Amino acid sequence: MRKNKILLLLMLSVMLILAACGGKKGDSDSGEGSKSSGENSAAKRGNSLVVAIPTDPQSWDPIDTFLLDWSSVGSSIFEGLVDRNLDLDLEPGLAESWEYEDDLTLRFKLREGVEFHNGEAFNAEAVKFTFDRLLGEEGAKGPQQSNYTSIESVEVINDYEVVFHLSSPDPVLLTKLAGYGAMIVPPNYVKENTEEFFNDNPVGTGPFKFVDYKRDQFITLEKNENYWKEDLPKLDEVTFRFIPEASTRLAELQTGKIDIMKRVEIAQADTVKDSAHIRLEEVGTPTVMSLRFDDGYDFVDNKLVRQALNYAVDKEAIIDEILDGYGKIISTYQSDLSFGNNPDLEPYPYDPEKAKELLKEARVPEGTELELYTPGSDGTFKEIAQIIAFYFEEVGIKLSIKNADSTTMNSDLIPQGKAGHMYRQGWGGWTLDFDNTAYLMYAEGEFWNPSFKDDKVQELLEAERSTVDQDEREAIFKELTEVLYELAPEINLYSEVALYGVNDRVVDFQPPHEDRIRLENVSVK
């Protein structure tokens, strides 16, 4: 019965769906994508690859951006002291090893014999320069600096040994060092050129080196012949094309003009599967979607109401019917990839009768109207919002859906407490540690936390940040997730599944969990 209702609503809103998701199956199917087609036209490129991603970050300096599309390209050019492989395990990068001497002292032994693409030597001075720059005036201009403020200074011990002195314990520092903000840059090259030049002409130590860049069109990289990993990379050249429209990316994939399409839309999945010489690849991600409550508003300042609205929404039906199964149900605001995820917590079940009981207990009048803000550019979530409005109506709540652009929501409405009773919020969880999510979402006074405050939550957040003992932190997170589950500061919907379209000639491509496309082991046939 519940799925019949959701399907009926989908039929009623079909015009909205088609308008919002221009990449529906058939919209971009040029007729050339039948499985019976013969020659693979992409093969003419030989030992080179073309990858389509949605956006051009506009700067290739590692300290300039949080954009995931930067990491899709930048991870081929730059490297950090610590690496995180495609299976999400931390492993040595430009540092061969590391050791905590105490909670405030972290020693790195650096890899010898590594060169930047311009021939400059990688050494301890390059590490110190990178972090002095990241934590100084230059880094203050960009968004990455705030992740590394626990680093008080970097001390050079010798050419291949450095010590990080910390101002406070940072249990997530190693995984942040494996992120793309802490990529090591060549000191002389950066100092000898202008900031604008480095933005457009990046130099790192990675498997591919920069060749050419046309803003909003493409960036081309070629094989780093002096790469420190033996016999890698396997490709001679990689071009990343910036194609914002999903329908255009799909058309280019079907006609063989690109080999890998990032961000296949759910509505395009069947078209990709049915196209000649193309396969659909999927991967779980740390990105989660929720409706977060602003408990500065009446009604949702009562946890009984927040719990009731959790019971009112059938998350499994949303995943099955709107996302075609490309999503994973979650119990707290993190995916199962996150350190701190509590597998013992079952998501709130769909129970509209329980929802009605709780709303009655909270003395919420039938017909009460609540506001939901969503980003107008998110076509899929427009569908989900309509379904949620339907579920709320079933338990006596009217939902008024408001749209705003993403920048306005994130920069103004949410932090100022002007995004209504609830708002759609997606979160990347890029550190794969609940700390980065939990602190920014629930700690009092944080930018994206306009009103939530709980003394026990604050106590647990401070406790998990006071130690680098991971067993101790795991126990704290278990308690924290249980407290948050009871308080229900949001309706946790799902973690995203990322979809990639890949030409059959591409060998050993593994879709990344966190957008950082890795191509050093990829080849073509």
Side-chain angles (χ1 to χ4, degrees), residues 8 71 130 156 208 227-228 239 247 314 337 354 362 404 415 434:
L8 175 61
S71 72
T130 294
V156 173
F208 295 93
Y227 190 46
W228 58 271
T239 296
S247 57
D314 189 343
L337 299 173
K354 178 70 171 177
F434 194 39

Side-chain angles (χ1 to χ4, degrees), residues 464-518:
E464 68 86 10
R465 283 199 161 187
S466 67
T467 177
V468 294
D469 185 311
Q470 295 297 75
D471 290 337
E472 185 177 347
R473 295 183 69 240
E474 190 169 26
I476 295 169
F477 279 140
K478 188 174 189 301
E479 183 177 1
L480 174 62
T481 52
E482 290 168 352
V483 172
L484 289 169
Y485 186 88
E486 172 73 15
L487 293 173
E490 63 270 310
I491 300 174
N492 292 300
L493 297 172
Y494 57 88
S495 62
E496 289 188 335
V497 171
L499 302 178
Y500 288 77
V502 184
N503 192 286
D504 286 337
R505 81 185 191 102
V506 179
V507 179
D508 292 330
F509 171 75
Q510 182 177 335
H513 291 282
E514 22 77 288
D515 273 58
R516 294 177 63 181
I517 294 173
R518 305 294 290 266

Side-chain angles (χ1 to χ4, degrees), residues 227-247:
Y227 190 46
W228 58 271
K229 291 184 181 179
E230 190 174 356
D231 298 326
L232 295 179
K234 298 178 180 179
L235 295 167
D236 292 330
E237 185 179 86
V238 178
T239 296
F240 292 86
R241 291 178 56 195
F242 312 119
I243 306 176
E245 299 82 12
S247 57

Side-chain angles (χ1 to χ4, degrees), residues 210-244:
F210 168 78
V211 175
D212 191 17
Y213 171 49
K214 293 290 186 293
R215 185 160 292 193
D216 296 319
Q217 296 181 47
F218 66 86
I219 183 169
T220 298
L221 314 178
E222 68 180 8
K223 179 177 185 174
N224 177 8
E225 298 285 358
N226 297 317
Y227 190 46
W228 58 271
K229 291 184 181 179
E230 190 174 356
D231 298 326
L232 295 179
K234 298 178 180 179
L235 295 167
D236 292 330
E237 185 179 86
V238 178
T239 296
F240 292 86
R241 291 178 56 195
F242 312 119
I243 306 176

Side-chain angles (χ1 to χ4, degrees), residues 122-166:
F122 163 75
N123 53 29
E125 289 296 340
V127 175
K128 179 172 174 55
F129 173 83
T130 294
F131 284 93
D132 286 350
R133 179 174 182 263
L134 172 60
L135 297 170
E137 291 182 7
E138 190 78 15
K141 301 174 186 176
Q144 286 284 353
Q145 186 182 88
S146 60
N147 279 312
Y148 304 94
T149 53
S150 62
I151 302 171
E152 189 171 81
S153 64
V154 175
E155 178 187 3
V156 173
I157 304 302
N158 56 51
D159 282 352
Y160 295 101
E161 195 168 4
V162 295
V163 171
F164 282 42
H165 298 284
L166 309 183

